[in-house]
Amino acid sequence: MEELKVLSPTAILGYGFPEQSFKEGMRRHPDVIACDAGSTDPGPYYLGAGYSFTDNNAVKRDLSIMIPAALEEGIPLMIGTAGGCGARPHVELTVDIIREIAREQHLHFKMAVIDAEFEKDFIKEELRKGNVTPLGPAPELTEESVDECIHIVGQMGEEPYMKALEMGAQVILAGRSYDPCEFSALAISKGFPKALAIHMGKILECAAITALPGSGSDCMLGTLRKDSFVVEPLNPERKCTTLSVAAHSLYEKSNPYELPGPGGAIDLHKTTFTQLSDSQVEVRGTEFVPTEDYYVKLEGVRRVGYRTISPAATHDPVMISQIDEVIRGVRSRVEDNFNMKDRRDIWLDFKVYGKKGVMHMFPETPESSSDELLIIIEAVAPTQEEANTLCSFARSTMLHYGYEGRISTAGNLAFPFSPSDCRMGEVFEFNVYHLLRVADPCEPFPIHLLEL
């Protein structure tokens, strides 16, 4: 093959896309339709709870268009990180949706389902062998941390997808995956340069977010050749520019020149971006640097308690000028009432929007001010009932808290909702964010073939 075309319908399965853009992509006769279905961006909750952060009906709508189009064209459809997080519950949820579509549209095809969830005993055994190492600032992993996990997934590379293609799968539905690999697997199996295939996948996995104006719910096409690739949006209202494509090549990276993944990293030191037309950009020069050993990233979460929140606002300039002192006073009152000072299983927080609400985790951020504030009172405790109690007490204390210069005694806060307190349910945190050394990139990810 001299060139290979990849159609990326949307940034995340379920985010949607204009049918006209998709039809334009199919008129270009792509060799594969590929779509990322998940991310860790929404946080640890969805991996722990086994839910998807995308709506089932929205996912079904997208797949109802993509699957028959791929079958009619005779090309594979590849979906990575199924169900948002790629653990077994998420994959099974998506399998059920695809079964519905097959029944309703009378479709017949072979589907490969690739499992990405690991058993705790397996991880503990690999830990004893010295095959698990921390990633970034994560601490050393312990067997106790593994036992606390609800789900542990591994981020597979392109190799299991390539194996599924060899097995004759027309639709490939995979668990947690390295984001570019569902876009690069077919190309690498056909002998195209791995570096260019992964770099193109890195851009296509976010679809038209790369274009101007950017959108996570519109289509992109990538055309890969032996020495370059070209990306372009399929909606005439959008354009790709050298700036937009180069900028997206820096997206979600700690190092602007390197993008690590399973088996190695792509190196952008020699990469060039050329404007071919008002909407097409050509990319050349990207290289792939393999690692001595093959590593996959592990992601695992543990339950830390239950959350209750209460959103409240204030427009009182006197309270706003003293909000830090008010919060300290309210916190001290709650801690004293419930003997919280020596407890490590309780969390009470006040997120103040209008005053570093977004940047509150970074103390060095310059102070900001507003004529009104939104305060999110958050309580996390071992049980939902205890979280409810803490949040309720903090909310009522702040509502009637006395501060110097206060004029109104009826209440300090305006509540946008009734009831004022919201039970948010389980709270999870990432406690496994490590690298697993594997001898075979396919062995940890079993493939199951289904005839639908």
Side-chain angles (χ1 to χ4, degrees), residues 235-277:
N235 186 331
E237 297 179 1
R238 308 188 193 284
K239 311 294 181 185
C240 276
T241 68
T242 53
L243 179 59
S244 70
V245 176
H248 198 77
S249 297
L250 308 179
Y251 179 64
E252 294 181 328
K253 292 166 62 181
S254 56
N255 183 322
Y257 292 107
E258 297 177 3
L259 177 65
I266 58 171
D267 185 335
L268 274 66
H269 280 88
K270 299 178 181 178
T271 303
T272 62
F273 303 87
T274 304
Q275 196 78 46
L276 296 185
S277 71

Side-chain angles (χ1 to χ4, degrees), residues 316 399-403 406-413:
D316 176 11
L399 174 62
H400 299 291
Y401 189 81
Y403 49 87
R406 183 173 68 149
I407 297 173
S408 170
T409 57
N412 306 323
L413 302 175

Side-chain angles (χ1 to χ4, degrees), residues 133-149:
T133 55
L135 180 60
E140 292 286 343
L141 188 62
T142 65
E143 292 192 22
E144 291 76 17
S145 293
V146 175
D147 284 331
E148 289 179 326
C149 281

Side-chain angles (χ1 to χ4, degrees), residues 13 40 64 116 145 281 288 337:
L13 184 66
T40 56
S64 295
S145 293
V281 172
F288 182 78
N337 200 79

